[in-house]
Amino acid sequence: MNASGGTSYSWSPSTGLSNANIANPTATPSSTTTYTVTVSNGTCSDTDQVTVTVNNTTVDANAGADGMACGKSYQLSANGSIGSGVWTSNPSAGVVFSNSNDPHSTVTVSNFGFYTFIWTLNGICGTDSDNVIVEFGDYPSPAIAGNDATVCGLTYTMQAQIPAIGTGTWGIDSGVTISNVNDPHATVTVNNYGSYVFTWITTNCSCPPNGDQVTITFENPNHANAGADVAICQGQSTQLNASGGISYSWSPASGLSNPNIANPTASPNNTTTYTVTVVNAQGCTDTDQVTITVADPVYGNAGGGNTICAGGSVQLWASGGTTYSWSPSNGLSNANISNPTASPSATTIYTVTITNAQGCSDTEQVTVTVNDPVYGSAGVNGGNNTICAGGSVQLWASGGTTYSWSPSNGLSNANISNPTASPSATTIYTVTITNAQGCSDTEQVTVTVNDPYMAVQV
């Protein structure tokens, strides 16, 4: 330092000075320091100051943070230690700085793309450089919300494209829940079935936002209807009737005429629950079930004495059910009971339908054979049925194969067709005439016995 104007000098502070009491001491401060010198000429005195600035030992250039430009212009923002700086670029073609020495210079490029800008700072104590990368683009990228879709249920995972640069967000309406509005693959859940429009909006820098819409239709998957449960008897069939789709698949396939149609004929041997898988036009799949109950079979029985004579009757019987129906009803005391009395006029085949509590039935038959009647005759040989006491007469009967006379008193044989009768008194003889089928008839013959001591009137 160099002071003048006096004969004596005094510097303050003395720190960093080679001699604080001379006009021209050497100053070596460790940091920027303002020194005050007092100058005296022996009579008068005066003061003055001088500042010694101590610069940093290194130059620290900072080009700022990387950035994105919506368009072809961008304002740089460098900062750092004291010194003079200059901007350069890579690539340099088509790049124009508003002021290459301004740390906040505006740079304009001729083509979109990535550019590296170098801020070089020249200081008293050296030179330093720093880079910043700026992407110039026609952004944000066009918003792509994905393709329209139809889904089964109330939940869907969106399929928007992630923007090449910038951010995206979903615009949603009431009745919609979304897992993350900024996730292009967010999961959306709606409250009701139907069609919903979702908007995917991408933004970046100061560019206007881009939006794209996608329509998602939420289908109710609960559409399968297998029909009502049904009961059948063993050996019977029933037709299934499913609805709600365009394709059908039944399981198990056993007992079905075709497991891949809506209305197969089912003939299960045992009670079976069938499951139908229904696919509708939108591809939604649903299942439903129908149970076919196979009732136990009826093991019916029927019978009874099956041979009668004309005019006779026999009791029929049937078992194995809860209701009974006989046919024909002719000659029956009651056609709707299990044990009617049959009195047919001719041989008849009776059919009984035996039905159980589940409505299953069986049929049995009973034949009632009606034998021909016996047309018997009886009398006395010679036609004279009056004898004297102690006399006899031969009886006779016909029309059968066996004969039985009653009373047997006075008869030579009560079990032939023509016994000799020697009654001691007038007697009425009854003969039972039976044919080969067991049918019988009765006839009577009176044998009159005269008193031997009757007076003879002359």
Side-chain angles (χ1 to χ4, degrees):
M1 295 183 292
N2 289 285
S4 61
T7 57
S8 65
Y9 302 87
S10 176
W11 294 88
S12 177
S14 60
T15 303
L17 297 181
S18 59
N19 189 336
N21 297 310
I22 60 176
N24 54 352
T26 299
T28 314
S30 59
S31 59
T32 298
T33 304
T34 298
Y35 290 99
T36 301
V37 63
T38 300
V39 180
S40 176
N41 59 8
T43 302
C44 300
S45 63
D46 193 14
T47 60
D48 197 10
Q49 291 180 328
V50 63
T51 298
V52 178
T53 300
V54 179
N55 290 321
N56 293 332
T57 57
T58 59
V59 175
D60 185 13
N62 187 339
D66 294 343
M68 297 176 291
C70 183
K72 295 182 178 180
S73 295
Y74 183 77
Q75 186 176 37
L76 299 169
S77 182
N79 57 72
S81 58
I82 297 174
S84 61
V86 63
W87 287 102
T88 56
S89 70
N90 182 23
S92 59
V95 177
V96 176
F97 294 97
S98 61
N99 183 349
S100 62
N101 299 119
D102 183 358
H104 301 292
S105 175
T106 297
V107 60
T108 303
V109 298
S110 58
N111 298 301
F112 295 116
F114 290 89
Y115 288 79
T116 300
F117 298 102
I118 305 98
W119 174 244
T120 302
L121 186 62
N122 298 306
I124 296 174
C125 300
T127 300
D128 189 32
S129 297
D130 189 30
N131 297 338
V132 63
I133 297 175
V134 178
E135 181 184 6
F136 295 85
D138 186 13
Y139 295 118
S141 303
I144 301 177
N147 297 322
D148 294 344
T150 298
V151 299
C152 303
L154 298 173
T155 300
Y156 180 71
T157 299
M158 306 302 288
Q159 300 295 321
Q161 290 189 9
I162 301 173
I165 197 165
T167 60
T169 185
W170 288 101
I172 60 173
D173 296 326
S174 60
V176 178
T177 302
I178 190 164
S179 59
N180 184 348
V181 294
N182 300 120
D183 182 1
H185 300 142
T187 298
V188 295
T189 303
V190 298
N191 293 340
N192 300 296
Y193 298 109
S195 295
Y196 292 77
V197 176
F198 299 93
T199 304
W200 175 243
I201 303 170
T202 57
T203 56
N204 175 56
C205 302
S206 59
C207 296
N210 280 319
D212 188 31
Q213 291 183 330
V214 61
T215 299
I216 307 299
T217 300
F218 296 86
E219 283 284 332
N220 187 344
N222 302 317
H223 50 266
N225 185 349
D229 294 342
V230 64
I232 63 172
C233 299
Q234 196 169 65
Q236 291 183 338
S237 299
T238 186
Q239 189 173 48
L240 302 180
N241 287 286
S243 61
I246 58 174
S247 69
Y248 302 85
S249 177
W250 293 90
S251 177
S254 59
L256 298 181
S257 60
N258 186 339
N260 298 311
I261 59 176
N263 54 348
T265 299
S267 307
N269 293 323
N270 304 297
T271 296
T272 303
T273 297
Y274 289 100
T275 300
V276 62
T277 300
V278 179
V279 181
N280 67 8
Q282 290 73 37
C284 297
T285 300
D286 191 23
T287 60
D288 194 22
Q289 292 182 324
V290 60
T291 297
I292 298 179
T293 301
V294 180
D296 293 335
V298 175
Y299 298 104
N301 292 294
N306 59 355
T307 299
I308 63 173
C309 297
S313 64
V314 66
Q315 187 174 45
L316 306 180
W317 63 267
S319 64
T322 56
T323 63
Y324 303 86
S325 178
W326 295 86
S327 177
S329 61
N330 298 337
L332 297 181
S333 60
N334 187 336
N336 296 310
I337 60 175
S338 63
N339 55 348
T341 298
S343 305
S345 59
T347 296
T348 303
I349 298 174
Y350 288 102
T351 300
V352 60
T353 299
I354 305 167
T355 305
N356 66 8
Q358 290 76 38
C360 301
S361 60
D362 186 22
T363 58
E364 296 291 332
Q365 289 184 328
V366 175
T367 300
V368 177
T369 301
V370 180
N371 290 329
D372 292 334
V374 175
Y375 299 104
S377 298
V380 177
N381 283 337
N384 185 4
N385 59 349
T386 301
I387 62 174
C388 294
S392 65
V393 66
Q394 189 177 39
L395 305 179
W396 63 266
S398 64
T401 56
T402 64
Y403 303 86
S404 178
W405 294 86
S406 178
S408 60
N409 298 334
L411 295 181
S412 59
N413 189 335
N415 296 310
I416 60 176
S417 63
N418 54 350
T420 298
S422 304
S424 59
T426 297
T427 302
I428 299 174
Y429 288 101
T430 300
V431 62
T432 299
I433 306 166
T434 304
N435 65 10
Q437 290 77 35
C439 296
S440 61
D441 188 18
T442 59
E443 294 291 333
Q444 289 183 331
V445 176
T446 300
V447 177
T448 302
V449 179
N450 288 330
D451 186 350
Y453 300 107
M454 290 181 60
V456 176
Q457 184 176 5
V458 177

